[in-house]
Short mmCIF file of all heavy atoms in Angstrom, two decimals:
data_model
loop_
_atom_site.label_atom_id
_atom_site.label_comp_id
_atom_site.label_asym_id
_atom_site.label_seq_id
_atom_site.Cartn_x
_atom_site.Cartn_y
_atom_site.Cartn_z
N ALA A 987 12.33 -0.87 5.67
CA ALA A 987 12.97 -1.89 4.83
C ALA A 987 12.28 -2.10 3.52
O ALA A 987 12.93 -2.27 2.49
CB ALA A 987 13.04 -3.21 5.63
N ALA A 988 10.91 -2.04 3.58
CA ALA A 988 10.15 -2.15 2.28
C ALA A 988 10.45 -1.00 1.35
O ALA A 988 10.57 -1.16 0.11
CB ALA A 988 8.69 -2.20 2.63
N ARG A 989 10.55 0.22 1.90
CA ARG A 989 10.88 1.38 1.09
C ARG A 989 12.23 1.24 0.44
O ARG A 989 12.44 1.50 -0.77
CB ARG A 989 10.85 2.67 1.98
CG ARG A 989 11.11 3.92 1.17
CD ARG A 989 11.08 5.12 2.05
NE ARG A 989 9.69 5.49 2.39
CZ ARG A 989 9.12 5.41 3.60
NH1 ARG A 989 9.92 4.96 4.62
NH2 ARG A 989 7.89 5.72 3.81
N ASP A 990 13.23 0.73 1.19
CA ASP A 990 14.58 0.50 0.68
C ASP A 990 14.56 -0.54 -0.42
O ASP A 990 15.22 -0.42 -1.48
CB ASP A 990 15.50 0.08 1.76
CG ASP A 990 15.81 1.17 2.75
OD1 ASP A 990 15.59 2.39 2.43
OD2 ASP A 990 16.35 0.86 3.88
N ALA A 991 13.82 -1.58 -0.23
CA ALA A 991 13.71 -2.68 -1.24
C ALA A 991 13.04 -2.15 -2.55
O ALA A 991 13.52 -2.46 -3.65
CB ALA A 991 12.92 -3.84 -0.69
N ALA A 992 12.04 -1.35 -2.39
CA ALA A 992 11.37 -0.80 -3.57
C ALA A 992 12.31 0.11 -4.34
O ALA A 992 12.34 0.10 -5.56
CB ALA A 992 10.12 0.02 -3.15
N ALA A 993 13.11 0.90 -3.62
CA ALA A 993 14.08 1.79 -4.25
C ALA A 993 15.09 1.00 -5.08
O ALA A 993 15.45 1.33 -6.19
CB ALA A 993 14.78 2.63 -3.20
N LYS A 994 15.61 -0.09 -4.50
CA LYS A 994 16.58 -0.91 -5.19
C LYS A 994 16.00 -1.54 -6.44
O LYS A 994 16.72 -1.79 -7.41
CB LYS A 994 17.13 -1.98 -4.24
CG LYS A 994 18.05 -1.40 -3.14
CD LYS A 994 18.46 -2.50 -2.20
CE LYS A 994 19.37 -1.92 -1.06
NZ LYS A 994 19.81 -2.97 -0.11
N LEU A 995 14.72 -1.85 -6.37
CA LEU A 995 14.04 -2.52 -7.53
C LEU A 995 13.54 -1.56 -8.54
O LEU A 995 13.11 -1.93 -9.63
CB LEU A 995 12.95 -3.42 -7.03
CG LEU A 995 13.37 -4.63 -6.24
CD1 LEU A 995 12.19 -5.23 -5.50
CD2 LEU A 995 14.03 -5.68 -7.16
N GLY A 996 13.56 -0.23 -8.21
CA GLY A 996 13.16 0.78 -9.19
C GLY A 996 11.64 0.83 -9.35
O GLY A 996 11.20 1.11 -10.48
N VAL A 997 10.86 0.64 -8.34
CA VAL A 997 9.42 0.76 -8.45
C VAL A 997 8.94 1.90 -7.58
O VAL A 997 9.59 2.30 -6.63
CB VAL A 997 8.70 -0.54 -8.05
CG1 VAL A 997 9.08 -1.67 -8.97
CG2 VAL A 997 9.02 -0.95 -6.61
N ASP A 998 7.75 2.45 -7.94
CA ASP A 998 7.10 3.51 -7.10
C ASP A 998 6.28 2.76 -6.10
O ASP A 998 5.31 2.02 -6.48
CB ASP A 998 6.22 4.38 -7.99
CG ASP A 998 6.99 5.44 -8.77
OD1 ASP A 998 8.18 5.66 -8.38
OD2 ASP A 998 6.49 5.98 -9.72
N ALA A 999 6.54 3.01 -4.82
CA ALA A 999 5.82 2.35 -3.74
C ALA A 999 5.03 3.38 -2.93
O ALA A 999 5.57 4.37 -2.53
CB ALA A 999 6.74 1.58 -2.86
N SER A 1000 3.77 3.11 -2.70
CA SER A 1000 2.92 3.94 -1.85
C SER A 1000 2.49 3.13 -0.63
O SER A 1000 2.16 1.92 -0.83
CB SER A 1000 1.68 4.48 -2.58
OG SER A 1000 2.05 5.33 -3.59
N PHE A 1001 2.51 3.71 0.55
CA PHE A 1001 2.20 3.00 1.79
C PHE A 1001 0.89 3.57 2.40
O PHE A 1001 0.59 4.72 2.27
CB PHE A 1001 3.35 3.20 2.77
CG PHE A 1001 4.64 2.57 2.38
CD1 PHE A 1001 5.46 3.18 1.45
CD2 PHE A 1001 4.99 1.33 2.91
CE1 PHE A 1001 6.63 2.55 1.05
CE2 PHE A 1001 6.13 0.69 2.49
CZ PHE A 1001 7.01 1.40 1.55
N SER A 1002 0.15 2.67 3.05
CA SER A 1002 -1.01 3.14 3.83
C SER A 1002 -0.92 2.46 5.21
O SER A 1002 -0.33 1.41 5.38
CB SER A 1002 -2.32 2.73 3.05
OG SER A 1002 -2.48 1.36 2.98
N ASP A 1003 -1.60 3.11 6.14
CA ASP A 1003 -1.58 2.64 7.54
C ASP A 1003 -3.06 2.59 7.99
O ASP A 1003 -3.69 3.67 8.17
CB ASP A 1003 -0.74 3.57 8.36
CG ASP A 1003 -0.82 3.29 9.89
OD1 ASP A 1003 -1.36 2.20 10.27
OD2 ASP A 1003 -0.30 4.07 10.65
N ALA A 1004 -3.57 1.42 8.28
CA ALA A 1004 -4.95 1.26 8.66
C ALA A 1004 -5.25 1.59 10.11
O ALA A 1004 -6.40 1.68 10.55
CB ALA A 1004 -5.41 -0.18 8.37
N LYS A 1005 -4.19 1.78 10.91
CA LYS A 1005 -4.31 2.11 12.35
C LYS A 1005 -5.27 1.13 13.10
O LYS A 1005 -6.04 1.50 13.86
CB LYS A 1005 -4.82 3.55 12.50
CG LYS A 1005 -3.89 4.59 11.89
CD LYS A 1005 -4.31 5.99 12.27
CE LYS A 1005 -3.46 7.01 11.50
NZ LYS A 1005 -2.03 6.90 11.76
N GLY A 1006 -5.12 -0.16 12.64
CA GLY A 1006 -5.82 -1.17 13.36
C GLY A 1006 -7.27 -1.37 12.96
O GLY A 1006 -8.03 -2.16 13.56
N ASP A 1007 -7.73 -0.70 11.90
CA ASP A 1007 -9.12 -0.81 11.45
C ASP A 1007 -9.28 -1.49 10.08
O ASP A 1007 -8.69 -0.98 9.12
CB ASP A 1007 -9.72 0.59 11.42
CG ASP A 1007 -11.25 0.53 11.09
OD1 ASP A 1007 -12.03 0.41 12.07
OD2 ASP A 1007 -11.60 0.67 9.91
N ALA A 1008 -10.00 -2.61 10.07
CA ALA A 1008 -10.08 -3.41 8.88
C ALA A 1008 -10.83 -2.69 7.73
O ALA A 1008 -10.46 -2.74 6.58
CB ALA A 1008 -10.74 -4.74 9.17
N ASN A 1009 -11.90 -1.98 8.09
CA ASN A 1009 -12.67 -1.23 7.05
C ASN A 1009 -11.82 -0.17 6.44
O ASN A 1009 -11.84 0.08 5.20
CB ASN A 1009 -13.92 -0.67 7.66
CG ASN A 1009 -14.94 -1.75 8.01
OD1 ASN A 1009 -14.99 -2.80 7.36
ND2 ASN A 1009 -15.72 -1.51 9.05
N THR A 1010 -11.03 0.54 7.24
CA THR A 1010 -10.16 1.54 6.73
C THR A 1010 -9.13 0.93 5.80
O THR A 1010 -8.86 1.52 4.71
CB THR A 1010 -9.41 2.25 7.91
OG1 THR A 1010 -10.32 2.93 8.70
CG2 THR A 1010 -8.36 3.26 7.39
N GLN A 1011 -8.61 -0.21 6.09
CA GLN A 1011 -7.65 -0.88 5.22
C GLN A 1011 -8.28 -1.27 3.89
O GLN A 1011 -7.62 -1.14 2.88
CB GLN A 1011 -7.07 -2.10 5.92
CG GLN A 1011 -5.85 -2.73 5.18
CD GLN A 1011 -5.09 -3.71 6.00
OE1 GLN A 1011 -5.67 -4.68 6.46
NE2 GLN A 1011 -3.80 -3.53 6.13
N ASN A 1012 -9.48 -1.75 3.92
CA ASN A 1012 -10.16 -2.07 2.65
C ASN A 1012 -10.26 -0.79 1.78
O ASN A 1012 -9.93 -0.87 0.57
CB ASN A 1012 -11.55 -2.60 2.92
CG ASN A 1012 -11.58 -3.98 3.50
OD1 ASN A 1012 -10.58 -4.74 3.39
ND2 ASN A 1012 -12.66 -4.38 4.15
N ASP A 1013 -10.64 0.31 2.36
CA ASP A 1013 -10.76 1.56 1.61
C ASP A 1013 -9.38 2.02 1.08
O ASP A 1013 -9.26 2.45 -0.07
CB ASP A 1013 -11.35 2.63 2.46
CG ASP A 1013 -12.81 2.48 2.78
OD1 ASP A 1013 -13.47 1.71 2.06
OD2 ASP A 1013 -13.32 3.07 3.75
N GLN A 1014 -8.39 1.83 1.92
CA GLN A 1014 -7.02 2.28 1.47
C GLN A 1014 -6.48 1.44 0.32
O GLN A 1014 -5.89 1.95 -0.62
CB GLN A 1014 -6.08 2.17 2.71
CG GLN A 1014 -6.34 3.23 3.76
CD GLN A 1014 -5.45 3.02 4.98
OE1 GLN A 1014 -4.96 1.93 5.26
NE2 GLN A 1014 -5.29 4.06 5.75
N ILE A 1015 -6.80 0.15 0.37
CA ILE A 1015 -6.25 -0.73 -0.73
C ILE A 1015 -7.01 -0.36 -2.04
O ILE A 1015 -6.43 -0.30 -3.12
CB ILE A 1015 -6.46 -2.18 -0.39
CG1 ILE A 1015 -5.46 -2.58 0.68
CG2 ILE A 1015 -6.28 -3.09 -1.61
CD1 ILE A 1015 -5.62 -3.94 1.25
N ASN A 1016 -8.29 -0.11 -1.98
CA ASN A 1016 -9.03 0.34 -3.16
C ASN A 1016 -8.52 1.66 -3.68
O ASN A 1016 -8.45 1.89 -4.88
CB ASN A 1016 -10.51 0.36 -2.88
CG ASN A 1016 -11.12 -1.07 -2.92
OD1 ASN A 1016 -11.37 -1.60 -4.00
ND2 ASN A 1016 -11.34 -1.67 -1.78
N SER A 1017 -8.12 2.52 -2.78
CA SER A 1017 -7.52 3.79 -3.20
C SER A 1017 -6.18 3.58 -3.89
O SER A 1017 -5.85 4.24 -4.90
CB SER A 1017 -7.31 4.70 -1.98
OG SER A 1017 -8.51 5.05 -1.41
N LEU A 1018 -5.39 2.64 -3.40
CA LEU A 1018 -4.15 2.31 -4.07
C LEU A 1018 -4.36 1.77 -5.45
O LEU A 1018 -3.69 2.11 -6.41
CB LEU A 1018 -3.38 1.29 -3.24
CG LEU A 1018 -2.78 1.80 -1.88
CD1 LEU A 1018 -2.36 0.61 -1.02
CD2 LEU A 1018 -1.62 2.74 -2.09
N LEU A 1019 -5.42 0.94 -5.56
CA LEU A 1019 -5.73 0.40 -6.89
C LEU A 1019 -6.22 1.48 -7.90
O LEU A 1019 -5.82 1.53 -9.02
CB LEU A 1019 -6.87 -0.68 -6.75
CG LEU A 1019 -6.39 -1.95 -5.96
CD1 LEU A 1019 -7.59 -2.84 -5.66
CD2 LEU A 1019 -5.32 -2.76 -6.80
N VAL A 1020 -7.10 2.34 -7.42
CA VAL A 1020 -7.55 3.49 -8.23
C VAL A 1020 -6.40 4.36 -8.64
O VAL A 1020 -6.32 4.93 -9.71
CB VAL A 1020 -8.64 4.25 -7.47
CG1 VAL A 1020 -8.94 5.58 -8.21
CG2 VAL A 1020 -9.92 3.44 -7.38
N GLY A 1021 -5.40 4.44 -7.76
CA GLY A 1021 -4.25 5.31 -8.02
C GLY A 1021 -3.29 4.66 -8.99
O GLY A 1021 -2.22 5.24 -9.29
N GLY A 1022 -3.53 3.44 -9.47
CA GLY A 1022 -2.74 2.83 -10.47
C GLY A 1022 -1.82 1.73 -10.03
O GLY A 1022 -0.96 1.22 -10.82
N ALA A 1023 -1.87 1.30 -8.78
CA ALA A 1023 -1.01 0.24 -8.29
C ALA A 1023 -1.37 -1.07 -8.99
O ALA A 1023 -2.49 -1.51 -9.04
CB ALA A 1023 -1.16 0.06 -6.75
N LYS A 1024 -0.36 -1.72 -9.59
CA LYS A 1024 -0.56 -2.97 -10.26
C LYS A 1024 -0.08 -4.16 -9.45
O LYS A 1024 -0.13 -5.32 -9.86
CB LYS A 1024 0.12 -2.98 -11.63
CG LYS A 1024 -0.64 -2.05 -12.61
CD LYS A 1024 -2.05 -2.51 -12.75
CE LYS A 1024 -2.87 -1.63 -13.73
NZ LYS A 1024 -4.24 -2.04 -13.78
N GLY A 1025 0.42 -3.87 -8.21
CA GLY A 1025 0.81 -4.91 -7.30
C GLY A 1025 0.55 -4.38 -5.87
O GLY A 1025 0.78 -3.23 -5.61
N ILE A 1026 0.03 -5.29 -5.03
CA ILE A 1026 -0.30 -4.88 -3.64
C ILE A 1026 0.28 -5.90 -2.68
O ILE A 1026 0.15 -7.11 -2.92
CB ILE A 1026 -1.82 -4.84 -3.39
CG1 ILE A 1026 -2.49 -3.77 -4.30
CG2 ILE A 1026 -2.16 -4.62 -1.95
CD1 ILE A 1026 -2.24 -2.35 -3.91
N VAL A 1027 0.91 -5.42 -1.63
CA VAL A 1027 1.24 -6.23 -0.48
C VAL A 1027 0.34 -5.83 0.67
O VAL A 1027 0.31 -4.64 1.03
CB VAL A 1027 2.71 -6.10 -0.02
CG1 VAL A 1027 2.96 -7.01 1.23
CG2 VAL A 1027 3.69 -6.45 -1.14
N ILE A 1028 -0.45 -6.77 1.22
CA ILE A 1028 -1.26 -6.46 2.36
C ILE A 1028 -0.82 -7.28 3.56
O ILE A 1028 -0.66 -8.48 3.47
CB ILE A 1028 -2.81 -6.69 2.10
CG1 ILE A 1028 -3.56 -6.47 3.40
CG2 ILE A 1028 -3.06 -8.09 1.52
CD1 ILE A 1028 -5.09 -6.54 3.25
N ALA A 1029 -0.61 -6.62 4.70
CA ALA A 1029 -0.52 -7.21 5.99
C ALA A 1029 -1.81 -6.95 6.67
O ALA A 1029 -2.07 -5.79 7.14
CB ALA A 1029 0.69 -6.67 6.76
#
């Protein structure tokens, strides 16, 4: 659903999956930021 919403809004969306590990998620978010993301949704 998030992918569909991003498509309708015309934004480039990249997804990450922490597989239940908080440290992995921290690294992934920083990778998204380094990759140029100017907006982040974190669950």
Side-chain angles (χ1 to χ4, degrees):
R989 182 178 286 111
D990 290 344
K994 290 178 182 178
L995 291 166
V997 297
D998 281 342
S1000 295
F1001 295 79
S1002 65
D1003 175 8
K1005 300 187 186 302
D1007 185 85
N1009 291 328
T1010 296
Q1011 189 168 55
N1012 288 341
D1013 290 341
Q1014 289 174 339
I1015 289 173
N1016 280 282
S1017 295
L1018 291 167
L1019 293 169
V1020 169
K1024 289 302 178 183
I1026 298 286
V1027 179
I1028 175 176

